[in-house]
């Protein structure tokens, strides 16, 4: 489904702030893979997701989505194949537009935007049913401005927007990191449900090792712009956080996992 | 003290009343211009200064086309298209050449000055004499001419009606357009470009489209004002961005105060035009108070500053450090009184 070959990306090349963010990344996801990504700060997790989404061109390497080479496509053209949820709940929705308007914009992802009405009557019913499944009471607030919703509700809406038109790949970039633990658990549960029901292929970046182990069928660990650990299937099910810490220490050459957030969420 | 009384004694209310229709007509015309500013300033979140140039372009094109015997409808259409072109240039400077928004607008504005002079054949001022062309709509049926001007200050009441009808039509079109798939995409682009990109919207194209439409509308209103005042002037757009912003902001502050949560999109558009009218009424009062006309722009700046500050100060008064201290003192006092 997704294939990344030998991808490099360096930011601020030739300056004192030069940062090698991706240092030869190779990754192949199979259809239906739900892969979690962990790693310390600056390991390249979000950078890899941004490279897939086409936020900027990579320096080198190729990215395939299905049979399609998307390396040369800009962000708005790749959007046709992707669904994305960001860390910042403000980022994925337009605060000043109604819930239903946000959903309608997402439903037209990859289509030419015509002079027909932005939201049709038939859509309204469809979205009401979809929102009702969330059990957040949003189905009765469809004409409310998204800005009035809580962070968790906004992430739920963004999640629905990302999957309303079935994407070939769903990119979740620490989408629960800005939420309180209870809401985060709820949004994660919702993500699981949507991914399972629609049989989606997904990549989820997280700082929480428990979540990384508990969700999905595959786990990769990144360090210094490289994938240093890749585990799936039965093996992943048996994984413990202590294993992960050890793996990290070995793979990174005795380096300690010096990320407070990761340690605390052990 | 005597001087003071003399001053007030010399103010004649009937003069103010006599100037009222003219102020209303101009207010609506500038309100139409402000609808163009609304597209960039509010919907696209782009402070576009091109309008000072494109407004004059609209007037210049209209005057020259009429002089060359073109029917008014064609002249107005070409004025609209000329404005669209100006907006396109600003959009290209911003998106494809990466020039920051305010700067790309300023560049277009500066470039338009000589272009407008060229359009007007190096004349800085061209007359549009209603006697030469006649009028399409007029209360005086003898001078009716299907190819004539669509408004003139010669017939202020007709001008008010025609301008109001045009304003309503434009509001209806804008209401429709920004409700379509394309219009929604432009709104998303202005409000959250990151989200727009992630949803497959080409934000560069959408910015260009919005800038083009905005400047087309501004040039169209420039055409209307040139007809109304009976001449086109290369300087007629100078400071128009400030008047446009004044209309947008005055309308918003007043509309929000009246409708609060029910201040929806169509009302917002309506109150842009209402803002234009209020602005010209205030200007009328300023002139009636015998303030020197050359200071008008100064008053414009003051009015805009006041209306921009109102929402901020109101928010601050409800949410300030001083207020907390005051409230705490008050409750402490009450406590003491209760105990006593």
């Amino acid at each position: 489904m997704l294939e990344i070959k030998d991808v490099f990306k360096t930011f601020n090349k030739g300056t004192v702030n030069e940062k090698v963010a991706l240092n030869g990344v190779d990754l192949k996801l199979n259809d239906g893979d739900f892969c979690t990504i962990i790693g310390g700060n600056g390991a390249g997790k979000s950078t890899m997701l941004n490279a897939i989404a086409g936020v900027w061109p990579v320096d080198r390497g190729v990215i395939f989505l299905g049979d399609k080479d998307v390396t040369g496509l800009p962000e708005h053209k790749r959007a046709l194949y992707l669904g994305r949820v960001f860390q910042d709940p403000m980022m994925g929705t337009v605060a000043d537009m109604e819930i239903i308007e946000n959903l309608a914009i997402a439903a037209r992802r990859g289509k030419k935007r015509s002079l027909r009405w932005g939201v049709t009557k038939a859509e309204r019913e469809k979205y009401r049913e979809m929102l009702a499944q969330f059990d957040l009471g949003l189905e009765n607030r469809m004409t409310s401005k998204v800005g009035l919703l809580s962070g968790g509700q906004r992430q739920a809406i963004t999640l629905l927007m990302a999957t309303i038109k079935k994407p070939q790949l769903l990119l979740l970039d620490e989408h629960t990191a800005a939420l309180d633990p209870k809401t985060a658990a709820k949004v994660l549960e919702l993500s699981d449900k949507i991914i399972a029901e629609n049989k989606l292929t997904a990549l989820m970046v997280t700082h929480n090792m428990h979540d990384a182990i508990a969700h999905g069928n595959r786990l990769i660990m990144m360090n210094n712009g490289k994938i240093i650990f890749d585990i799936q299937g039965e093996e992943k099910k048996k994984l413990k956080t202590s294993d992960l810490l050890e793996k990290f220490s070995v793979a990174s050459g005795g380096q300690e996992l010096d990320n407070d957030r990761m340690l605390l969420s052990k | 003290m005597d001087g003071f009384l003399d001053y007030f004694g010399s103010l004649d209310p009937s003069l103010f009343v006599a100037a009222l229709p003219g102020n209303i007509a101009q207010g609506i015309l500038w309100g139409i211009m402000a609808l163009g500013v609304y597209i960039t300033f509010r919907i696209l979140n782009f402070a576009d200064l091109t309008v000072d140039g494109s407004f004059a372009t609209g007037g210049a094109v209209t005057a020259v086309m009429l002089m060359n015997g073109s029917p008014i409808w064609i002249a107005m259409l070409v004025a609209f298209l000329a404005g669209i072109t100006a907006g396109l240039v600003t959009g290209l400077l911003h998106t494809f050449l990466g020039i920051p928004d305010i700067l790309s607008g300023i560049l277009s504005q500066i470039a338009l000055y000589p272009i407008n002079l060229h359009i007007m054949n190096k004349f800085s001022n061209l007359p549009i004499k209603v006697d030469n062309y006649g009028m399409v709509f007029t209360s005086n049926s003898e001078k009716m001419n299907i190819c004539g001007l669509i408004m003139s200050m010669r017939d202020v009441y007709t001008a008010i009606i025609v301008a109001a009808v045009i304003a309503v039509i434009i509001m209806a079109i804008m209401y429709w357009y920004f409700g379509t798939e394309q219009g929604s995409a432009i709104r998303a682009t202005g409000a959250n470009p990151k989200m727009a990109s992630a949803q497959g919207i080409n934000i560069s194209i959408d910015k260009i489209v919005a800038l083009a439409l905005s400047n087309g509308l501004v040039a169209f209103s420039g055409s209307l004002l040139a007809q109304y005042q009976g001449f086109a002037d290369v300087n007629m757009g100078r400071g128009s961005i400030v008047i446009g912003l004044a209309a947008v902001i005055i309308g918003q502050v007043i509309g929000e105060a009246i409708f609060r949560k029910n201040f929806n999109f169509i009302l917002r558009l309506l109150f842009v035009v209402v803002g234009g009218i209020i602005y010209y009424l205030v200007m009328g009062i300023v002139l009636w108070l015998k303030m020197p006309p050359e200071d008008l722009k100064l008053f414009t700046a003051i009015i805009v500053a006041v209306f921009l500050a109102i929402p901020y100060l109101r928010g601050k008064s409800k949410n300030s450090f001083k207020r907390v201290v005051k409230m705490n003192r008050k409750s402490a006092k009450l406590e003491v009184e209760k105990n006593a």
Side-chain angles (χ1 to χ4, degrees), chain B residues 256-272:
Chain B
E256 269 170 2
I258 297 174
F259 296 99
R260 291 171 195 282
K261 275 185 183 163
N262 298 320
F263 195 38
N264 58 27
F265 188 55
I266 193 76
L267 284 172
R268 279 175 191 276
L269 295 180
L270 179 66
F271 269 75
V272 169

Side-chain angles (χ1 to χ4, degrees), chain A residues 91 93 101 108-109 113 118, chain B residues 179 181-182 187 192 199:
Chain A
M91 206 117 104
T93 46
E101 287 177 316
R108 286 160 182 74
R109 192 165 57 229
R113 308 214 178 226
Chain B
E181 294 176 353
Q182 226 177 75
R187 281 156 63 207
N192 186 348
Q199 299 305 339

Side-chain angles (χ1 to χ4, degrees), chain B residues 104-175:
Chain B
S104 46
I106 290 176
L107 289 177
S108 290
Q109 183 198 115
I110 298 279
L112 278 171
Y113 188 83
I115 291 174
N116 290 338
L117 269 177
H118 282 300
I119 291 172
M120 300 210 291
N121 222 350
K122 306 249 159 66
F123 290 103
S124 62
N125 187 300
L126 285 179
I128 302 177
K129 287 204 177 102
V130 64
D131 293 328
N132 295 356
Y133 303 109
M135 285 207 280
V136 179
F137 311 104
T138 170
S139 43
N140 177 358
S141 59
E142 286 163 47
K143 283 203 297 187
M144 194 164 142
N145 174 4
I146 192 69
C147 290
L149 308 183
I150 67 163
M151 62 174 62
S152 163
M153 63 197 297
R154 186 75 57 84
D155 189 346
V156 176
Y157 291 101
T158 308
I160 291 178
I161 294 167
V162 173
V165 169
I166 292 175
V168 167
I169 292 171
I170 290 171
M171 280 187 258
I173 293 174
M174 282 174 71
Y175 182 76

